[in-house]
Amino acid sequence: MSIFKDLKASLTEAVEIEKGRKEPSKTCRFEVADVKAIRAKLNVSQAEFAEALGTSLDTVKSWESKRRNPTGISAKVLDTIEDNPEVYYEIASH
C-alpha cells in the first residue's frame, strides 16, 4: 500500500471513530508527572529542584502550575525520580 493510501485509510478511520461509528483499535494514555508532589516528597525547594534537573526555576514553576508539561527526557527523569527518589539525590550530588 502506498503512503497516500495508508494516510487516507487512517484519516477515514479517525473520522469513523470521532463520529462514534467505530471503536479505536488501540488507546494510549500518558500520565503527566505531578511535579509539585514529587518535589514535596523530596522536601526540596523549587530552586534546588531546578538546579538538580538542569532546568530553570521558571520551568519548574510552570510545570507545577500546569501551564506546561514536562516532555522528552525531563518527563522520563521525573518518572524515574517518582519511582525511585534516590535517583534525585544522585543527580543532585553531581
Side-chain angles (χ1 to χ4, degrees):
M1 200 178 249
S2 72
I3 292 174
F4 175 76
K5 287 181 182 179
D6 287 343
L7 184 56
K8 184 179 178 193
S10 293
L11 290 173
T12 301
E13 183 179 22
V15 169
E16 295 298 304
I17 291 168
E18 178 65 26
K19 290 182 177 180
R21 296 184 199 149
K22 186 173 183 178
E23 289 292 316
S25 59
K26 180 171 39 170
T27 303
C28 296
R29 299 210 188 277
F30 298 94
E31 303 240 353
V32 177
D34 185 345
V35 178
K36 191 171 187 175
I38 294 168
R39 187 179 57 77
K41 184 177 177 182
L42 296 167
N43 196 30
V44 296
S45 70
Q46 288 177 326
E48 291 169 318
F49 198 64
E51 184 177 339
L53 295 179
T55 191
S56 71
L57 177 58
D58 286 340
T59 296
V60 172
K61 287 179 179 180
S62 62
W63 288 342
E64 289 189 4
S65 67
K66 307 291 186 194
R67 285 179 302 178
R68 290 180 45 206
N69 293 324
T71 58
I73 192 71
S74 297
K76 290 179 181 185
V77 168
L78 288 166
D79 188 47
T80 302
I81 291 170
E82 188 172 26
D83 291 342
N84 183 1
E86 290 302 315
V87 170
Y88 170 79
Y89 298 111
E90 181 67 27
I91 292 169
S93 71
H94 286 86

